[in-house]
Amino acid sequence: MSKKLIELRNVTKTYDDITVVDNISLYINENEFITLLGPSGCGKTTTLRMIGGFEKPDSGEIILNGVVVNELPPYERPINTVFQRYALFPHLNVFDNIAFGLKNQKVPKQEIAERVETALKLVSLPNFGARKVANLSGGQQQRIAIARAIVNRPKILLLDEPLAALDLKLRQNMQYELKEMQRKLGITFIYVTHDQEEALTMSDTIVVMRDGLIQQIGTPTGIYNEPRNRFVARFIGESNILEGTYVRQNVVSFMGVEFDCVDIGFADGEKVDVVIRPEDLDLIDPVGAKLVGVVSSSIFKGVHFELCVIVQEKEFVIHTYENKNVGQAVGLRVDSYEIHLMKVEN
Amino acid sequence: MNIKKLGKLVLPYLVWMSVLVGLPLLMMVVLTFLKSNALDLGTAEFSFDSWRILFSDVTVRIALKNSFVNGIIATIICFVIGYPIAYIVANSNFSNKLIILVLTIIPMWSNSLLRNNAIANILSERSIVNDVLSNIGLNFIWPIRGVVYESGFSPAVVIGLVLTYLPFMILPIYTVLEKIDKSLLEASMDLGSNKIKTFFKVTFPLSIKGVTTGIIMVFLPSFSGFAIPKILGSGSLVFIGTLIDSRFMNRNYNFGSLLSLVILLIIFGSMALIFKVDKEGETLI
Ligand SMILES: Nc1ncnc2c1ncn2[C@@H]1O[C@H](COP(=O)(O)OP(=O)(O)O)[C@@H](O)[C@H]1O
Ligand SMILES: [Mg+2]
């Protein structure tokens, strides 16, 4: 299961003196669903294009099954891509679009017909073969683009924000279906998105990027619960980030109060960043609470309320099921294992 | 069909069109059924002579054939030269591709008669080129002018046609090539086609609209024009354009009108073909 399939070693790419991908290294296992996540412009697409063979790294190596493939053109890589804006061929119908890769591989006609029909069923568009591409809706075009790629049974499927243009409902359906497909077909998916929720839902592994640098690689829960720095903590969901001091083993102080904590690996007296997720803060009676504040706003978010509570002039975001009135005094409590500490970046 | 909405605004245009286009056209049609001394309608009499000649006279057939042969050859050469030029410019990294295109258009700003006369001069016996060539013993190569093959192919006329109409091939092809989404080419390579296959399976099919427009825009004037064959052709070679010209010169307006009508029908047919292939008229710039 965990056989290393593709590896990036110190890969760097520069456009006009701007380093877009900066010395990144990572490896991807067979059958893995890996997501490159980061704000727009952080170099995700460029990384994906280097894996696909559309761009060459300036330095570093891309290694596929133990072989350096830097110089291999896209048409010789066992990799297929689902392009962001689908890139379906407008002069071909749905069938010929999907059969395009198979014809290049000189697959017999009979087999092509069967595999195209299977692929169409897989994306829930059976009998769509004769349709014109231009007459399909965005969601349907998206599915055809996926079918066109997976029909070739690639080792690796690259997907560049494939759902970005779809509306919310369709997007959520497709997230689920893509994940299912990946499980069923056993293809390695390398997925690019700037949507942290999408990344958390679908991925086995998330690579968080910023300005061409990898910030953190980990599982969705790992990255959510143990962000390595402020950027990751902020980017992956909402969080309260506070300045604190590591007093001694298992004790941290912030907001002028000492708390028990479980994180270790810091020196006594070291400055730390403290991360507390909004759902990990509990509202308690202000009397006797370590942190006391006043509710400054409350928004109903469907399932929970999002409260803003001002404590010592610092704003806390809290997710809670019980509403509080604006202006009401509340106490805040947090469990020791919900307090996550990070090294301070200079 | 918004003509009604525009109401009185279109009136001047309608009057203009009927007086300067509709009426003359109608006149031409009438003339084909008459036997008249030039435009002297007083002495004209009804006659099918022109129509009879059209279908029986060999000259007409030869003229049509010559125009067709030279037009087709010129069109093919324009395509063979024009497509690569359009392709190279569309795919170049030049910051201002327009400048390169303008360079192909600039010659069109000088009068084409003047240009073709210059070409005629270069291709003739008393040209610098022939002087040089004959002095080094290559006098059998030049002059090209006056060479006519049995098929009616006249190299001099074709050279004139190509040099005159090449931009009409380049521009529409360039326009479609420029519009092709680069990610389609990447998708093709992603799916296993190398660059050459990608060209034939994606780029060329997607440029077919521009090619059709280019072919028609070069072929029609090459086929129907009379100035270039007149300047560059040898006197014995008759073209449909020169035939019409000579009929009108000889005051045979009846037959001249009929030949013009024939060409008009061919042009309308071709335009219909363009609009069928390229409904939005994108390639017509
Ligand atoms: N071909 C290119 N030439 C110059 N700059 C580019 C090119 N492609 C991408 N860039 C720049 O590289 C940066 C990263 O781009 P990209 O990889 O597309 O980011 P992302 O996909 O994460 O939004 C951007 O600032 C972008 O402007
Ligand atoms: Mg991108």
Side-chain angles (χ1 to χ4, degrees), chain A residues 88-93 96-97 100 133, chain B residues 184 201-203 205-206:
Chain A
L88 297 177
F89 303 117
H91 60 298
L92 301 177
N93 66 17
D96 288 328
N97 261 281
F100 197 92
V133 166
Chain B
L184 294 176
K201 293 181 79 168
V202 180
T203 312
L206 287 177

Side-chain angles (χ1 to χ4, degrees), chain A residues 264-276:
Chain A
I264 49 170
F266 301 91
D268 290 358
E270 184 180 341
K271 293 269 176 237
V272 291
D273 280 329
V274 181
V275 181
I276 305 171

Side-chain angles (χ1 to χ4, degrees), chain A residues 49 75 80-81 91 104, chain B residues 184 186 189-191 193 201:
Chain A
R49 287 172 61 78
Y75 45 88
N80 285 114
T81 308
H91 60 298
N104 277 333
Chain B
L184 294 176
E186 290 188 344
M189 297 222 269
D190 187 74
L191 294 165
S193 330
K201 293 181 79 168

Side-chain angles (χ1 to χ4, degrees), chain A residues 13-16 18-21 36-49 55 84 160-161 192-194 209 212:
Chain A
K13 179 79 191 175
T14 307
Y15 287 122
D16 325 309
I18 299 166
T19 305
V20 173
V21 172
L36 305 181
L37 174 67
S40 139
C42 73
K44 307 179 297 285
T45 297
T46 308
T47 308
L48 204 69
R49 287 172 61 78
E55 303 281 352
Q84 183 161 4
D160 190 355
E161 313 220 8
V192 160
T193 184
H194 63 264
M209 291 179 67

Side-chain angles (χ1 to χ4, degrees), chain A residues 37-38 194-201 206 208 220-221 223-227 229-241 275-280 304 306 317 319 342:
Chain A
L37 174 67
H194 63 264
D195 181 341
Q196 45 97 11
E197 216 175 296
E198 196 165 287
L200 291 173
T201 328
I206 296 178
V208 184
T221 42
I223 286 191
Y224 188 81
N225 292 331
E226 314 267 320
N229 57 32
R230 277 179 172 244
F231 173 79
V232 177
R234 285 230 176 80
F235 197 74
I236 309 285
E238 249 175 311
S239 51
N240 300 292
I241 301 175
V275 181
I276 305 171
R277 295 288 180 189
E279 63 274 20
D280 294 337
H304 61 265
E306 183 177 293
V317 179
H319 292 172
M342 309 183 299

Side-chain angles (χ1 to χ4, degrees), chain A residues 123-228:
Chain A
V123 296
S124 321
L125 294 173
N127 308 321
F128 264 61
R131 301 274 188 108
K132 280 181 126 185
V133 166
N135 298 341
L136 301 178
S137 70
Q140 289 169 336
Q141 291 190 17
Q142 175 61 67
R143 284 155 189 268
I144 299 302
I146 293 167
R148 184 177 70 175
I150 59 178
V151 77
N152 302 292
R153 300 181 186 148
K155 286 236 162 56
I156 301 173
L157 188 66
L158 308 179
L159 302 105
D160 190 355
E161 313 220 8
L163 308 181
L166 306 182
D167 59 55
L168 183 66
K169 191 80 194 137
L170 197 54
R171 198 159 68 224
Q172 286 168 343
N173 279 343
M174 285 300 293
Q175 287 174 3
Y176 174 76
E177 284 179 32
L178 275 175
K179 183 74 200 165
E180 268 307 300
M181 234 179 259
Q182 187 256 343
R183 238 179 249 146
K184 229 188 294 180
L185 300 171
I187 298 175
T188 300
F189 274 40
I190 307 180
Y191 194 95
V192 160
T193 184
H194 63 264
D195 181 341
Q196 45 97 11
E197 216 175 296
E198 196 165 287
L200 291 173
T201 328
M202 304 172 77
S203 324
D204 298 323
T205 305
I206 296 178
V207 179
V208 184
M209 291 179 67
R210 177 199 195 187
D211 296 340
L213 291 164
I214 292 181
Q215 302 294 307
Q216 188 168 1
I217 302 180
T219 61
T221 42
I223 286 191
Y224 188 81
N225 292 331
E226 314 267 320
R228 185 182 293 160

Side-chain angles (χ1 to χ4, degrees), chain B residues 38-50:
Chain B
L39 286 174
D40 182 0
L41 295 181
T43 62
E45 33 184 288
F46 185 77
S47 150
F48 279 115
D49 274 6
S50 303

